[in-house]
């Protein structure tokens, strides 16, 4: 798939949204609009929250002003509502208002919902991966705001309540939860602001990644974990060989986990697609059982060296480790949403 179309702006149904534009220096604002004016080839809507610009200077830009609001998320939603009211079918936003970033969208306007991001730093990587894990997402970088937003997506994002960095993370999660496809173009940094998120923003972003689906998944997984423990201990008390007890517990708890998540939590339809996912899920369960048996043998040897032979403690510790590992892989392999396509350039 090629994204190098270089489609220039010629349709007023595409609006450029510039929230917090008033926070930039006057010279930077003018330089940014000068560059944007050269890129577009016919009158195009530009929504901004600054009153100092003289629109007669830019013959290709139709300047529409909205009230400046300090909170970024609220300002963005206000501008988004204005764009929708003007009949915009797509809204273009910008990670920064540097001149070099004023043309980022020209390669991609023929696509749908799109995010253009650079290589993420360590903090962004940590938050993005944790957010993906909790929300069943698949984004590479939650924090870029170089975005093309379709009308369908804009109608959803307009009603969000978050602000700042967490708003950016939540916007991707909302689209994923509603099955709206995103394409993320990942390329080297070129002139964008290298903003670092602080610890409070990191924690807020991860916490806000929890949604109804992930909460239900946590409850179902906890219930399956209890079933697994009960089945293992019951089987052992009946004299079952340990590997067989683990296999029985894993299969029964795994089957119940799959059915409830597949049909009630994720509401996936279709017998064949569910059967295919169950095949992958069951193969994964068997791998988990094998890993559990391996872990129990290693832990047993380690603890026996210190004279501790309490099998219940060893077994519980092993199951906790295996459960943490399985949580990551089941999210990625079985139920992770495929609505986010990543293209590396």
């Amino acid at each position: 798939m090629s994204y190098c179309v270089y489609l220039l702006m010629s349709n007023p149904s595409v609006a450029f949204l510039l929230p917090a534009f008033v926070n930039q220096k006057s010279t930077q604002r003018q330089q940014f609009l000068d560059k944007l004016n050269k890129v577009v080839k016919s009158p195009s809507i530009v929504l901004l929250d600054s009153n100092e610009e003289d629109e007669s200077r830019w013959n290709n830009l139709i300047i529409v002003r909205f009230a400046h609001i300090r909170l970024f998320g609220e300002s963005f939603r206000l501008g988004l509502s204005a764009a929708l009211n003007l009949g915009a079918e797509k809204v273009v936003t910008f990670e920064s208002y540097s001149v070099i970033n004023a043309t980022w969208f020209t390669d991609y306007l023929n696509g749908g919902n799109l995010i253009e991001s650079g290589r993420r730093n360590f903090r962004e990587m940590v938050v993005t991966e944790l957010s993906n894990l909790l929300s069943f997402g698949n984004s590479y970088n939650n924090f870029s705001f170089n975005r093309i937003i379709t009308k369908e997506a804009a109608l959803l994002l307009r009603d969000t309540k978050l602000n700042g960095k967490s708003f950016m993370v939540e916007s991707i999660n909302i689209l994923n939860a509603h099955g709206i496809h995103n394409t993320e173009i990942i390329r080297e940094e070129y002139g964008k602001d290298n903003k670092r998120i602080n610890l409070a923003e990191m924690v807020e972003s991860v916490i806000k990644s929890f949604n109804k689906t992930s909460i239900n998944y946590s409850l179902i997984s906890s219930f399956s974990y209890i079933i697994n423990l009960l089945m293992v201990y019951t089987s052992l008390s009946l004299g079952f060989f340990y590997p067989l007890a683990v296999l029985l517990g894993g299969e029964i708890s795994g089957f119940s986990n799959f059915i409830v998540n597949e049909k009630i939590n994720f509401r996936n339809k279709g017998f064949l697609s569910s059967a295919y996912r169950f095949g992958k899920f069951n193969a994964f369960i068997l791998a988990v059982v094998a890993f559990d048996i391996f872990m129990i043998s290693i832990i047993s040897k380690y603890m026996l060296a210190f004279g501790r032979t309490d099998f219940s403690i060893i077994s519980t510790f092993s199951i906790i480790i295996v459960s943490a590992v399985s949580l990551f892989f089941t999210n990625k392999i079985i139920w992770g949403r495929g609505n986010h396509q990543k293209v590396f350039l």
Side-chain angles (χ1 to χ4, degrees), residues 130-281:
L130 289 176
S131 298
N132 286 340
L133 182 66
L134 296 176
S135 65
F136 300 90
N138 186 38
S139 65
Y140 176 85
N141 188 345
N142 277 324
F143 298 96
S144 177
F145 220 64
N146 273 353
R147 300 187 183 186
I148 297 175
I149 305 168
T150 63
K151 183 177 180 180
E152 179 187 23
L155 289 169
L156 288 171
L157 300 182
R158 180 182 61 182
D159 299 326
T160 57
K161 302 300 181 183
L162 300 178
N163 290 288
K165 297 289 186 179
S166 61
F167 169 78
M168 298 182 189
V169 175
E170 180 67 9
S171 64
I172 297 179
N173 293 337
I174 288 173
L175 299 185
N176 279 332
H178 286 82
I180 297 178
H181 181 80
N182 285 278
T183 298
E184 184 173 10
I185 308 298
I186 302 159
R187 58 191 301 175
E188 296 291 345
E189 289 287 334
Y190 60 107
K192 294 185 221 170
D193 295 340
N194 187 21
K195 299 177 181 177
R196 295 183 63 85
I197 54 174
N198 58 43
L199 182 59
E201 290 170 333
M202 292 176 66
V203 173
E204 182 183 13
S205 296
V206 173
I207 291 176
K208 294 300 183 180
S209 297
F210 272 104
N211 51 37
K212 182 179 179 180
T213 299
S214 54
I215 292 173
N216 289 341
Y217 181 83
S218 299
L219 294 174
I220 294 167
S221 296
S222 299
F223 182 69
S224 298
Y225 169 73
I226 294 173
I227 292 177
N228 192 7
L229 283 178
L230 290 176
M231 288 304 304
V232 170
Y233 291 141
T234 300
S235 300
L236 289 174
S237 66
L238 294 175
F240 281 63
F241 185 50
Y242 180 76
L244 181 60
V246 172
L247 176 63
L248 184 63
E251 283 291 324
I252 292 177
S253 64
F255 181 76
S256 62
N257 182 299
F258 178 84
I259 293 298
V260 177
N261 270 311
E262 176 76 359
K263 297 303 181 183
I264 298 178
N265 192 23
F266 294 102
R267 300 180 181 179
N268 292 323
K269 298 179 180 179
F271 174 80
L272 292 179
S273 60
S274 293
Y276 173 69
R277 270 189 294 271
F278 179 71
K280 291 196 300 181
F281 183 81

Side-chain angles (χ1 to χ4, degrees), residues 21 26-40 54 57-61 99 102-103:
F21 196 62
S26 177
T27 54
Q28 184 175 353
R29 294 199 302 268
Q30 291 185 9
Q31 290 172 357
F32 182 86
L33 293 175
D34 285 343
K35 188 67 174 181
L36 192 60
N37 186 65
K38 292 179 181 179
V39 174
V40 300
D54 179 11
R57 174 178 175 141
W58 302 287
N59 60 304
N60 285 330
L61 304 183
V99 174
T103 63

